[in-house]
Amino acid sequence: MWAEVVGQPEAVAVLGAAARAADELVSGRAVTPGAMTHAWLFTGPPGSGRTTAAKAFAAALQCSSAGWGDVPGCGECQACRTVLAGTHPDVRVVAPEGLSIAVAEMRALVQIAARRPTAGRWQVVIISDADRLTEGASNALLKAIEEPPERTVFLLCAPSDHPEDISVTIRSRCRALSLRTPPAWAIAQVLHERHGIPEEMASWAASVSAGHIGRAQRLATDPEARSRREAVLSIPLGLRRLGDVFTKADDLVKSAEAEASAVSETRDEAEKEALKTAMGSGGTGRGVAAAERGAKAALRDLEKRQKSRATRTQRDALDLALIDLAGFYRDVLTASMRAEVTLNHPDRAADVRTAAAEWSADSALRRLEAVLQCREALGQNVKPRIAIEAMLTSLHRG
């Protein structure tokens, strides 16, 4: 179970001590002072495994085995298996599919969290993207954290504890646990030993994933993901004429739209059909007209959520492309300064040397800043095509 938390031995030790203290508390034994608390904030860069660590901790809290050894959480008992599978009745994971977590959703969750555990030892709430909480949702959560139920634990996951990611008031009431970027060798080992990926492919995917475990697995197993990455990394040296700006921008946006459509299409139709069936579509007899009116309203709400999910998927795809671009310009900058550091894209070392020979360090830095500004613009809901074209124009000019 803890083996899924890749390259985080310090974090596992802290969570293991907390789970031990939680077991002592439930069993009525002497509790290790300060080891366990009711609210945790997991922070770390994308791909560091924040949500994975939170789920492993939740499983350790619910573990019913008496023989888990040094670190609580056997990974084999029914409690551990159901938590990891996402079916435990006392563990709820909030993973927003849209752009934010609304106040209504958080209020409903807080009400559920106030109940005593029904099958397990603790009522556990995992919020995988706590940085997407709206102001109202943050306030609703804050009230629950300020006056926590006796057997409820909140596990929040966010990129950092900066006020832009998590409110200061919530941060002050949580115990922070910082995760680091997993080393490439650890990611490669996981891909090879647990997922059966050939060693050479596993090593390559780990080396170009910037420490993101999920990205490494996608690159190792999905040819389309590799093709999209190649297309993105061809941009820096492919902007020879002004016309290339609009061609590349169109390709980037259309690629993100196609990826979002591929993810959403089948799922959207299945959700609509399931909703229609649940609302009595095709039925006869008394009450059918009222049921159909209710079904239409519910269908409109579903379509609104699906649209929000598609928008987020598209922006996530664009953000991934921008991260790859930023990594390339960072490599060029370090090459210009002759810094002895590991490249983000070691397989593009020849392109990095070519760019470093053509551009000055100042020019590489301006290009890197243009990519980061584009990421910020997309985060502020600037239309993707406008933000991408503005960025590529800056990259072309240097």
Side-chain angles (χ1 to χ4, degrees), residues 176-380:
L177 184 68
S178 180
L179 304 182
R180 64 183 183 182
T181 300
W185 64 265
I187 297 175
Q189 186 177 34
V190 168
L191 295 180
H192 176 62
E193 294 181 357
R194 276 185 232 157
H195 301 287
I197 296 169
E199 286 188 19
E200 186 176 352
M201 175 61 78
S203 296
W204 171 82
S207 71
V208 301
S209 67
H212 195 302
I213 301 170
R215 178 86 198 283
Q217 186 174 356
R218 282 195 298 274
L219 287 172
T221 57
D222 185 358
E224 290 186 7
R226 295 195 290 272
S227 297
R228 286 193 293 269
R229 175 178 176 271
E230 287 298 315
V232 168
L233 293 178
S234 70
I235 290 175
L237 296 181
L239 296 174
R240 297 301 182 183
R241 300 170 300 155
L242 186 59
D244 295 331
V245 167
F246 302 101
T247 302
K248 297 290 186 182
D250 191 55
D251 291 344
L252 261 181
V253 174
K254 284 185 176 178
S255 176
E257 289 174 346
E259 186 174 349
S261 177
V263 170
S264 303
E265 208 167 64
T266 304
R267 184 178 178 184
D268 287 354
E269 286 303 315
E271 288 176 343
K272 288 178 182 179
E273 290 302 318
L275 178 62
K276 290 176 182 178
T277 301
M279 298 296 289
S281 176
T284 58
R286 298 176 59 184
V288 170
E292 287 181 349
R293 287 194 297 272
K296 288 179 181 179
L299 189 60
R300 284 194 297 270
D301 289 340
L302 175 61
E303 289 173 346
K304 183 178 179 181
R305 293 196 302 272
Q306 290 175 341
K307 184 178 180 180
S308 178
R309 182 172 66 202
T311 300
R312 179 184 172 185
T313 303
Q314 179 186 352
R315 291 189 181 176
D316 285 348
L318 284 173
D319 191 61
L320 188 58
L322 296 180
I323 290 172
D324 281 339
L325 273 179
F328 181 87
Y329 289 114
R330 175 265 188 191
D331 288 348
V332 175
L333 185 60
T334 58
S336 299
M337 300 175 68
R338 300 174 187 252
E340 296 293 331
V341 296
T342 303
L343 296 180
N344 282 316
H345 302 293
D347 58 336
R348 310 291 293 201
D351 288 347
V352 168
R353 288 192 296 270
T354 299
E358 292 182 7
W359 310 333
S360 66
D362 287 343
S363 178
L365 181 58
R366 286 194 297 271
R367 287 175 163 95
L368 175 57
E369 289 175 341
V371 177
L372 299 180
Q373 287 169 2
C374 183
R375 290 190 71 198
E376 185 176 348
L378 290 175
Q380 295 173 349

Side-chain angles (χ1 to χ4, degrees), residues 82-94:
T82 54
V83 171
L84 298 177
T87 57
H88 196 287
D90 295 323
V91 178
R92 287 166 178 80
V93 180
V94 180

